[in-house]
PDB file of all heavy atoms in Angstrom:
ATOM      1  N   ASP A  58     105.580  70.794 265.935  1.00 97.00           N
ATOM      2  CA  ASP A  58     104.331  70.006 266.015  1.00 97.00           C
ATOM      3  C   ASP A  58     103.056  70.836 266.053  1.00 97.00           C
ATOM      4  O   ASP A  58     101.969  70.317 266.170  1.00 97.00           O
ATOM      5  CB  ASP A  58     104.374  68.966 267.162  1.00 97.00           C
ATOM      6  CG  ASP A  58     104.404  69.634 268.501  1.00 97.00           C
ATOM      7  OD1 ASP A  58     104.340  70.868 268.594  1.00 97.00           O
ATOM      8  OD2 ASP A  58     104.455  68.880 269.534  1.00 97.00           O
ATOM      9  N   THR A  59     103.235  72.185 265.940  1.00 98.00           N
ATOM     10  CA  THR A  59     102.023  73.024 265.898  1.00 98.00           C
ATOM     11  C   THR A  59     101.487  73.112 264.499  1.00 98.00           C
ATOM     12  O   THR A  59     100.378  73.509 264.268  1.00 98.00           O
ATOM     13  CB  THR A  59     102.303  74.477 266.401  1.00 98.00           C
ATOM     14  OG1 THR A  59     103.187  75.099 265.464  1.00 98.00           O
ATOM     15  CG2 THR A  59     102.875  74.453 267.781  1.00 98.00           C
ATOM     16  N   LEU A  60     102.273  72.660 263.509  1.00 98.00           N
ATOM     17  CA  LEU A  60     101.827  72.688 262.109  1.00 98.00           C
ATOM     18  C   LEU A  60     100.715  71.636 261.885  1.00 98.00           C
ATOM     19  O   LEU A  60     100.905  70.473 262.227  1.00 98.00           O
ATOM     20  CB  LEU A  60     103.015  72.405 261.189  1.00 98.00           C
ATOM     21  CG  LEU A  60     102.711  72.335 259.687  1.00 98.00           C
ATOM     22  CD1 LEU A  60     102.202  73.699 259.163  1.00 98.00           C
ATOM     23  CD2 LEU A  60     103.930  71.917 258.885  1.00 98.00           C
ATOM     24  N   SER A  61      99.594  72.123 261.337  1.00 98.00           N
ATOM     25  CA  SER A  61      98.430  71.275 261.232  1.00 98.00           C
ATOM     26  C   SER A  61      98.073  70.930 259.789  1.00 98.00           C
ATOM     27  O   SER A  61      98.073  71.831 258.934  1.00 98.00           O
ATOM     28  CB  SER A  61      97.222  71.874 261.889  1.00 98.00           C
ATOM     29  OG  SER A  61      97.509  72.206 263.218  1.00 98.00           O
ATOM     30  N   LEU A  62      97.802  69.664 259.496  1.00 98.00           N
ATOM     31  CA  LEU A  62      97.403  69.260 258.138  1.00 98.00           C
ATOM     32  C   LEU A  62      96.584  67.973 258.303  1.00 98.00           C
ATOM     33  O   LEU A  62      96.585  67.282 259.320  1.00 98.00           O
ATOM     34  CB  LEU A  62      98.584  68.997 257.237  1.00 98.00           C
ATOM     35  CG  LEU A  62      99.455  67.771 257.527  1.00 98.00           C
ATOM     36  CD1 LEU A  62     100.035  67.285 256.201  1.00 98.00           C
ATOM     37  CD2 LEU A  62     100.597  68.144 258.503  1.00 98.00           C
ATOM     38  N   ARG A  63      95.827  67.627 257.245  1.00 98.00           N
ATOM     39  CA  ARG A  63      95.163  66.360 257.187  1.00 98.00           C
ATOM     40  C   ARG A  63      95.967  65.425 256.293  1.00 98.00           C
ATOM     41  O   ARG A  63      96.452  65.763 255.274  1.00 98.00           O
ATOM     42  CB  ARG A  63      93.787  66.480 256.559  1.00 98.00           C
ATOM     43  CG  ARG A  63      92.754  67.199 257.452  1.00 98.00           C
ATOM     44  CD  ARG A  63      91.335  66.918 256.890  1.00 98.00           C
ATOM     45  NE  ARG A  63      90.328  67.696 257.609  1.00 98.00           N
ATOM     46  CZ  ARG A  63      89.772  68.809 257.077  1.00 98.00           C
ATOM     47  NH1 ARG A  63      90.073  69.253 255.894  1.00 98.00           N
ATOM     48  NH2 ARG A  63      88.865  69.431 257.819  1.00 98.00           N
ATOM     49  N   LYS A  64      95.985  64.169 256.691  1.00 98.00           N
ATOM     50  CA  LYS A  64      96.568  63.114 255.831  1.00 98.00           C
ATOM     51  C   LYS A  64      96.155  61.754 256.395  1.00 98.00           C
ATOM     52  O   LYS A  64      95.788  61.718 257.559  1.00 98.00           O
ATOM     53  CB  LYS A  64      98.062  63.234 255.718  1.00 98.00           C
ATOM     54  CG  LYS A  64      98.822  63.327 257.050  1.00 98.00           C
ATOM     55  CD  LYS A  64      99.264  62.038 257.532  1.00 98.00           C
ATOM     56  CE  LYS A  64      99.812  62.152 258.958  1.00 98.00           C
ATOM     57  NZ  LYS A  64      99.746  60.941 259.731  1.00 98.00           N
ATOM     58  N   SER A  65      96.169  60.762 255.546  1.00 98.00           N
ATOM     59  CA  SER A  65      95.906  59.425 256.028  1.00 98.00           C
ATOM     60  C   SER A  65      96.593  58.381 255.270  1.00 98.00           C
ATOM     61  O   SER A  65      97.577  57.777 255.756  1.00 98.00           O
ATOM     62  CB  SER A  65      94.345  59.205 256.086  1.00 98.00           C
ATOM     63  OG  SER A  65      94.069  57.959 256.563  1.00 98.00           O
ATOM     64  N   CYS A  66      96.178  58.119 254.079  1.00 98.00           N
ATOM     65  CA  CYS A  66      96.631  56.886 253.351  1.00 98.00           C
ATOM     66  C   CYS A  66      98.066  56.978 252.823  1.00 98.00           C
ATOM     67  O   CYS A  66      98.711  55.994 252.698  1.00 98.00           O
ATOM     68  CB  CYS A  66      95.699  56.621 252.171  1.00 98.00           C
ATOM     69  SG  CYS A  66      95.829  57.815 250.854  1.00 98.00           S
ATOM     70  N   ARG A  67      98.521  58.136 252.513  1.00 97.00           N
ATOM     71  CA  ARG A  67      99.905  58.369 251.952  1.00 97.00           C
ATOM     72  C   ARG A  67     100.040  57.817 250.555  1.00 97.00           C
ATOM     73  O   ARG A  67     101.163  57.673 250.076  1.00 97.00           O
ATOM     74  CB  ARG A  67     100.973  57.809 252.835  1.00 97.00           C
ATOM     75  CG  ARG A  67     100.954  58.412 254.243  1.00 97.00           C
ATOM     76  CD  ARG A  67     101.938  57.749 255.135  1.00 97.00           C
ATOM     77  NE  ARG A  67     103.254  58.349 254.875  1.00 97.00           N
ATOM     78  CZ  ARG A  67     104.279  58.315 255.792  1.00 97.00           C
ATOM     79  NH1 ARG A  67     104.030  57.761 256.953  1.00 97.00           N
ATOM     80  NH2 ARG A  67     105.429  58.835 255.487  1.00 97.00           N
ATOM     81  N   GLU A  68      98.927  57.495 249.862  1.00 97.00           N
ATOM     82  CA  GLU A  68      99.106  56.927 248.506  1.00 97.00           C
ATOM     83  C   GLU A  68      97.937  57.314 247.611  1.00 97.00           C
ATOM     84  O   GLU A  68      97.552  56.511 246.774  1.00 97.00           O
ATOM     85  CB  GLU A  68      99.357  55.450 248.556  1.00 97.00           C
ATOM     86  CG  GLU A  68      98.337  54.668 249.369  1.00 97.00           C
ATOM     87  CD  GLU A  68      98.717  53.196 249.436  1.00 97.00           C
ATOM     88  OE1 GLU A  68      99.299  52.669 248.541  1.00 97.00           O
ATOM     89  OE2 GLU A  68      98.477  52.595 250.506  1.00 97.00           O
ATOM     90  N   GLY A  69      97.445  58.499 247.700  1.00 98.00           N
ATOM     91  CA  GLY A  69      96.469  59.006 246.723  1.00 98.00           C
ATOM     92  C   GLY A  69      95.139  58.333 246.754  1.00 98.00           C
ATOM     93  O   GLY A  69      94.462  58.248 245.728  1.00 98.00           O
ATOM     94  N   VAL A  70      94.727  57.825 247.901  1.00 98.00           N
ATOM     95  CA  VAL A  70      93.440  57.090 247.967  1.00 98.00           C
ATOM     96  C   VAL A  70      92.448  57.852 248.814  1.00 98.00           C
ATOM     97  O   VAL A  70      91.251  57.947 248.468  1.00 98.00           O
ATOM     98  CB  VAL A  70      93.661  55.672 248.526  1.00 98.00           C
ATOM     99  CG1 VAL A  70      92.338  54.988 248.689  1.00 98.00           C
ATOM    100  CG2 VAL A  70      94.586  54.917 247.578  1.00 98.00           C
ATOM    101  N   CYS A  71      92.851  58.415 249.915  1.00 98.00           N
ATOM    102  CA  CYS A  71      91.892  59.031 250.826  1.00 98.00           C
ATOM    103  C   CYS A  71      91.456  60.423 250.485  1.00 98.00           C
ATOM    104  O   CYS A  71      90.363  60.893 250.863  1.00 98.00           O
ATOM    105  CB  CYS A  71      92.411  59.000 252.272  1.00 98.00           C
ATOM    106  SG  CYS A  71      93.720  60.182 252.611  1.00 98.00           S
ATOM    107  N   GLY A  72      92.331  61.148 249.770  1.00 98.00           N
ATOM    108  CA  GLY A  72      91.990  62.474 249.326  1.00 98.00           C
ATOM    109  C   GLY A  72      92.093  63.542 250.385  1.00 98.00           C
ATOM    110  O   GLY A  72      91.717  64.698 250.208  1.00 98.00           O
ATOM    111  N   SER A  73      92.687  63.219 251.557  1.00 98.00           N
ATOM    112  CA  SER A  73      92.671  64.197 252.655  1.00 98.00           C
ATOM    113  C   SER A  73      93.752  65.193 252.630  1.00 98.00           C
ATOM    114  O   SER A  73      93.707  66.263 253.327  1.00 98.00           O
ATOM    115  CB  SER A  73      92.646  63.461 254.006  1.00 98.00           C
ATOM    116  OG  SER A  73      93.792  62.686 254.172  1.00 98.00           O
ATOM    117  N   ASP A  74      94.874  65.009 251.882  1.00 98.00           N
ATOM    118  CA  ASP A  74      95.984  65.918 251.985  1.00 98.00           C
ATOM    119  C   ASP A  74      96.048  66.833 250.789  1.00 98.00           C
ATOM    120  O   ASP A  74      97.158  67.280 250.351  1.00 98.00           O
ATOM    121  CB  ASP A  74      97.325  65.192 252.177  1.00 98.00           C
ATOM    122  CG  ASP A  74      97.687  64.278 251.053  1.00 98.00           C
ATOM    123  OD1 ASP A  74      96.801  63.877 250.319  1.00 98.00           O
ATOM    124  OD2 ASP A  74      98.872  64.031 250.866  1.00 98.00           O
ATOM    125  N   ALA A  75      94.878  67.179 250.223  1.00 98.00           N
ATOM    126  CA  ALA A  75      94.963  68.167 249.106  1.00 98.00           C
ATOM    127  C   ALA A  75      95.286  69.513 249.682  1.00 98.00           C
ATOM    128  O   ALA A  75      94.849  69.940 250.732  1.00 98.00           O
ATOM    129  CB  ALA A  75      93.541  68.179 248.480  1.00 98.00           C
ATOM    130  N   MET A  76      96.139  70.240 248.973  1.00 98.00           N
ATOM    131  CA  MET A  76      96.563  71.557 249.379  1.00 98.00           C
ATOM    132  C   MET A  76      97.093  72.309 248.133  1.00 98.00           C
ATOM    133  O   MET A  76      97.186  71.703 247.069  1.00 98.00           O
ATOM    134  CB  MET A  76      97.639  71.512 250.486  1.00 98.00           C
ATOM    135  CG  MET A  76      98.878  70.728 250.059  1.00 98.00           C
ATOM    136  SD  MET A  76     100.060  70.551 251.435  1.00 98.00           S
ATOM    137  CE  MET A  76      99.256  69.369 252.502  1.00 98.00           C
ATOM    138  N   ASN A  77      97.383  73.558 248.301  1.00 98.00           N
ATOM    139  CA  ASN A  77      97.915  74.358 247.202  1.00 98.00           C
ATOM    140  C   ASN A  77      99.428  74.333 247.293  1.00 98.00           C
ATOM    141  O   ASN A  77     100.044  74.797 248.263  1.00 98.00           O
ATOM    142  CB  ASN A  77      97.359  75.790 247.278  1.00 98.00           C
ATOM    143  CG  ASN A  77      97.711  76.566 246.064  1.00 98.00           C
ATOM    144  OD1 ASN A  77      98.761  77.205 245.977  1.00 98.00           O
ATOM    145  ND2 ASN A  77      96.855  76.571 245.058  1.00 98.00           N
ATOM    146  N   ILE A  78     100.082  73.763 246.219  1.00 98.00           N
ATOM    147  CA  ILE A  78     101.507  73.503 246.273  1.00 98.00           C
ATOM    148  C   ILE A  78     102.126  74.322 245.161  1.00 98.00           C
ATOM    149  O   ILE A  78     101.890  74.132 243.979  1.00 98.00           O
ATOM    150  CB  ILE A  78     101.735  71.940 245.957  1.00 98.00           C
ATOM    151  CG1 ILE A  78     100.978  71.070 247.008  1.00 98.00           C
ATOM    152  CG2 ILE A  78     103.247  71.680 245.963  1.00 98.00           C
ATOM    153  CD1 ILE A  78     100.733  69.652 246.569  1.00 98.00           C
ATOM    154  N   ASN A  79     102.972  75.238 245.516  1.00 98.00           N
ATOM    155  CA  ASN A  79     103.580  76.178 244.550  1.00 98.00           C
ATOM    156  C   ASN A  79     102.513  76.750 243.578  1.00 98.00           C
ATOM    157  O   ASN A  79     102.751  76.783 242.351  1.00 98.00           O
ATOM    158  CB  ASN A  79     104.722  75.502 243.798  1.00 98.00           C
ATOM    159  CG  ASN A  79     106.013  75.436 244.598  1.00 98.00           C
ATOM    160  OD1 ASN A  79     106.080  76.045 245.724  1.00 98.00           O
ATOM    161  ND2 ASN A  79     107.005  74.726 244.158  1.00 98.00           N
ATOM    162  N   GLY A  80     101.368  77.068 244.095  1.00 98.00           N
ATOM    163  CA  GLY A  80     100.317  77.730 243.313  1.00 98.00           C
ATOM    164  C   GLY A  80      99.371  76.846 242.635  1.00 98.00           C
ATOM    165  O   GLY A  80      98.464  77.337 241.987  1.00 98.00           O
ATOM    166  N   LYS A  81      99.526  75.541 242.760  1.00 98.00           N
ATOM    167  CA  LYS A  81      98.596  74.621 242.097  1.00 98.00           C
ATOM    168  C   LYS A  81      98.072  73.605 243.080  1.00 98.00           C
ATOM    169  O   LYS A  81      98.835  73.000 243.823  1.00 98.00           O
ATOM    170  CB  LYS A  81      99.364  73.918 240.933  1.00 98.00           C
ATOM    171  CG  LYS A  81      98.511  73.023 240.060  1.00 98.00           C
ATOM    172  CD  LYS A  81      99.338  72.494 238.885  1.00 98.00           C
ATOM    173  CE  LYS A  81      98.490  71.505 238.130  1.00 98.00           C
ATOM    174  NZ  LYS A  81      99.188  70.913 236.985  1.00 98.00           N
ATOM    175  N   ASN A  82      96.754  73.342 243.016  1.00 98.00           N
ATOM    176  CA  ASN A  82      96.192  72.338 243.946  1.00 98.00           C
ATOM    177  C   ASN A  82      96.666  70.955 243.590  1.00 98.00           C
ATOM    178  O   ASN A  82      96.795  70.605 242.422  1.00 98.00           O
ATOM    179  CB  ASN A  82      94.678  72.385 243.886  1.00 98.00           C
ATOM    180  CG  ASN A  82      94.100  73.708 244.372  1.00 98.00           C
ATOM    181  OD1 ASN A  82      94.823  74.514 244.917  1.00 98.00           O
ATOM    182  ND2 ASN A  82      92.804  73.894 244.179  1.00 98.00           N
ATOM    183  N   GLY A  83      96.913  70.161 244.627  1.00 98.00           N
ATOM    184  CA  GLY A  83      97.310  68.771 244.389  1.00 98.00           C
ATOM    185  C   GLY A  83      97.376  68.009 245.752  1.00 98.00           C
ATOM    186  O   GLY A  83      97.100  68.584 246.799  1.00 98.00           O
ATOM    187  N   LEU A  84      97.730  66.722 245.618  1.00 98.00           N
ATOM    188  CA  LEU A  84      97.911  65.923 246.846  1.00 98.00           C
ATOM    189  C   LEU A  84      99.382  65.886 247.229  1.00 98.00           C
ATOM    190  O   LEU A  84     100.263  65.559 246.402  1.00 98.00           O
ATOM    191  CB  LEU A  84      97.450  64.481 246.576  1.00 98.00           C
ATOM    192  CG  LEU A  84      96.012  64.252 246.213  1.00 98.00           C
ATOM    193  CD1 LEU A  84      95.745  62.801 245.860  1.00 98.00           C
ATOM    194  CD2 LEU A  84      95.060  64.716 247.325  1.00 98.00           C
ATOM    195  N   ALA A  85      99.657  66.239 248.496  1.00 98.00           N
ATOM    196  CA  ALA A  85     101.027  66.197 248.942  1.00 98.00           C
ATOM    197  C   ALA A  85     101.685  64.833 248.815  1.00 98.00           C
ATOM    198  O   ALA A  85     102.854  64.716 248.479  1.00 98.00           O
ATOM    199  CB  ALA A  85     101.129  66.709 250.374  1.00 98.00           C
ATOM    200  N   CYS A  86     100.908  63.791 249.046  1.00 98.00           N
ATOM    201  CA  CYS A  86     101.460  62.425 249.033  1.00 98.00           C
ATOM    202  C   CYS A  86     101.791  61.968 247.583  1.00 98.00           C
ATOM    203  O   CYS A  86     102.497  60.985 247.399  1.00 98.00           O
ATOM    204  CB  CYS A  86     100.523  61.458 249.696  1.00 98.00           C
ATOM    205  SG  CYS A  86      98.970  61.184 248.846  1.00 98.00           S
ATOM    206  N   MET A  87     101.223  62.627 246.609  1.00 98.00           N
ATOM    207  CA  MET A  87     101.439  62.242 245.209  1.00 98.00           C
ATOM    208  C   MET A  87     102.378  63.208 244.503  1.00 98.00           C
ATOM    209  O   MET A  87     102.541  63.086 243.260  1.00 98.00           O
ATOM    210  CB  MET A  87     100.079  62.216 244.451  1.00 98.00           C
ATOM    211  CG  MET A  87      99.073  61.210 244.999  1.00 98.00           C
ATOM    212  SD  MET A  87      99.559  59.509 244.631  1.00 98.00           S
ATOM    213  CE  MET A  87      99.004  59.396 242.935  1.00 98.00           C
ATOM    214  N   THR A  88     102.960  64.131 245.196  1.00 98.00           N
ATOM    215  CA  THR A  88     103.804  65.142 244.561  1.00 98.00           C
ATOM    216  C   THR A  88     105.250  64.844 244.848  1.00 98.00           C
ATOM    217  O   THR A  88     105.721  64.942 245.997  1.00 98.00           O
ATOM    218  CB  THR A  88     103.399  66.547 245.127  1.00 98.00           C
ATOM    219  OG1 THR A  88     102.061  66.783 244.859  1.00 98.00           O
ATOM    220  CG2 THR A  88     104.255  67.642 244.448  1.00 98.00           C
ATOM    221  N   PRO A  89     106.027  64.457 243.827  1.00 98.00           N
ATOM    222  CA  PRO A  89     107.439  64.227 244.090  1.00 98.00           C
ATOM    223  C   PRO A  89     108.180  65.479 244.519  1.00 98.00           C
ATOM    224  O   PRO A  89     108.032  66.518 243.848  1.00 98.00           O
ATOM    225  CB  PRO A  89     107.942  63.725 242.678  1.00 98.00           C
ATOM    226  CG  PRO A  89     106.724  63.306 241.942  1.00 98.00           C
ATOM    227  CD  PRO A  89     105.641  64.182 242.396  1.00 98.00           C
ATOM    228  N   LEU A  90     108.950  65.298 245.499  1.00 97.00           N
ATOM    229  CA  LEU A  90     109.675  66.414 246.120  1.00 97.00           C
ATOM    230  C   LEU A  90     110.692  67.058 245.127  1.00 97.00           C
ATOM    231  O   LEU A  90     110.833  68.262 245.027  1.00 97.00           O
ATOM    232  CB  LEU A  90     110.432  65.923 247.322  1.00 97.00           C
ATOM    233  CG  LEU A  90     110.798  66.895 248.434  1.00 97.00           C
ATOM    234  CD1 LEU A  90     109.594  67.697 248.897  1.00 97.00           C
ATOM    235  CD2 LEU A  90     111.361  66.070 249.637  1.00 97.00           C
ATOM    236  N   ASP A  91     111.317  66.177 244.335  1.00 95.00           N
ATOM    237  CA  ASP A  91     112.402  66.666 243.460  1.00 95.00           C
ATOM    238  C   ASP A  91     111.873  67.477 242.251  1.00 95.00           C
ATOM    239  O   ASP A  91     112.652  67.969 241.476  1.00 95.00           O
ATOM    240  CB  ASP A  91     113.349  65.560 242.978  1.00 95.00           C
ATOM    241  CG  ASP A  91     112.642  64.446 242.215  1.00 95.00           C
ATOM    242  OD1 ASP A  91     111.437  64.642 241.921  1.00 95.00           O
ATOM    243  OD2 ASP A  91     113.277  63.432 241.914  1.00 95.00           O
TER     244      ASP A  91
END
Side-chain angles (χ1 to χ4, degrees):
D58 66 1
T59 66
L60 178 63
S61 304
L62 70 148
R63 288 195 186 104
K64 51 93 187 155
S65 180
C66 70
R67 301 174 81 155
E68 51 187 325
V70 175
C71 72
S73 61
D74 64 336
M76 59 185 71
N77 189 272
I78 304 159
N79 281 352
K81 184 174 174 181
N82 295 351
L84 297 176
C86 66
M87 298 288 281
T88 302
L90 206 49
D91 60 7

